[in-house]
Amino acid sequence: VLMAECHLALNGQARAGQLLEEARSVDANAHSVLLLSARMSLDAQKPEAATEFLRQALVQDPHDCQTRYQLALSYRDQGLLGEYAEEMSRLEMSQKLHDQYAELSRQARQRPSDSQVRDELYEVAQKLGKPEIARLWKRAADAFRQIPDASISHTLNRSL
């Protein structure tokens, strides 16, 4: 897919198309294959095909803001203004979740022994569809609840 993107950037659409077909034969549902397929469909003035590729990519990662935005634009360009408005609303919700995750991550760095922040990060990661990351935050929160506060402060002060 990376080689196809390079050829596409250098106006080598034909070679990019060949490389994309090779990538599709390996894994047609790979996120990067779907996104490049959408891009090339848009370039070929095939917005309906692009829309379908973008929808498929969002099944894999519903909170991918860039893909959600591209889908919204695709709907707008096709005159599907109701779908456009729905996607923009979903995009706003996803952006808020990502912003909340970023803020909580900042708080977790500032308050390394705060299990409550890690519990909140667990919840937001779950909402973002990131169960592996959520489990890590849950384990961290549980671990901090097991350690007495004085021990945490002593350990942190020693490491600084």
Side-chain angles (χ1 to χ4, degrees):
V1 174
L2 183 57
M3 289 291 292
E5 289 174 341
C6 291
H7 281 279
L8 190 60
L10 297 171
N11 291 321
Q13 284 81 359
R15 181 66 180 139
Q18 292 169 345
L19 291 168
L20 178 58
E21 287 307 313
E22 289 176 27
R24 278 191 188 135
S25 70
V26 173
D27 186 358
N29 292 315
H31 196 72
S32 58
V33 170
L34 293 169
L35 295 180
L36 185 56
S37 297
R39 180 176 166 197
M40 291 185 73
S41 294
L42 286 173
D43 289 350
Q45 304 298 314
K46 298 178 182 175
E48 294 85 5
T51 298
E52 186 54 35
F53 288 125
L54 293 168
R55 279 192 205 134
Q56 290 174 28
L58 286 167
V59 168
Q60 296 174 11
D61 184 359
H63 296 286
D64 177 344
C65 292
Q66 184 176 3
T67 301
R68 179 80 55 201
Y69 182 65
Q70 290 301 317
L71 180 59
L73 293 180
S74 179
Y75 282 139
R76 184 197 66 194
D77 293 347
Q78 294 174 69
L80 302 170
L81 299 183
E83 288 86 345
Y84 166 76
E86 285 178 34
E87 291 305 322
M88 291 303 289
S89 177
R90 288 184 184 120
L91 173 61
E92 185 179 340
M93 182 187 71
S94 290
Q95 287 173 326
K96 285 179 181 179
L97 283 173
H98 282 288
D99 290 347
Q100 183 181 9
Y101 187 86
E103 174 58 26
L104 287 168
S105 294
R106 185 189 62 74
Q107 289 178 25
R109 285 189 304 278
Q110 290 177 339
R111 301 191 318 251
S113 62
D114 188 340
S115 61
Q116 179 62 36
V117 171
R118 282 149 184 80
D119 285 330
E120 291 178 46
L121 279 160
Y122 164 79
E123 294 294 331
V124 175
Q126 288 282 69
K127 290 177 185 176
L128 285 169
K130 307 291 183 196
E132 299 85 16
I133 294 171
R135 278 193 294 276
L136 291 173
W137 284 118
K138 186 66 166 167
R139 284 179 40 204
D142 292 344
F144 278 115
R145 278 191 276 279
Q146 302 292 321
I147 303 170
D149 288 339
S151 175
I152 293 172
S153 297
H154 177 71
T155 302
L156 290 175
N157 288 334
R158 245 184 21 195
S159 66
L160 297 175

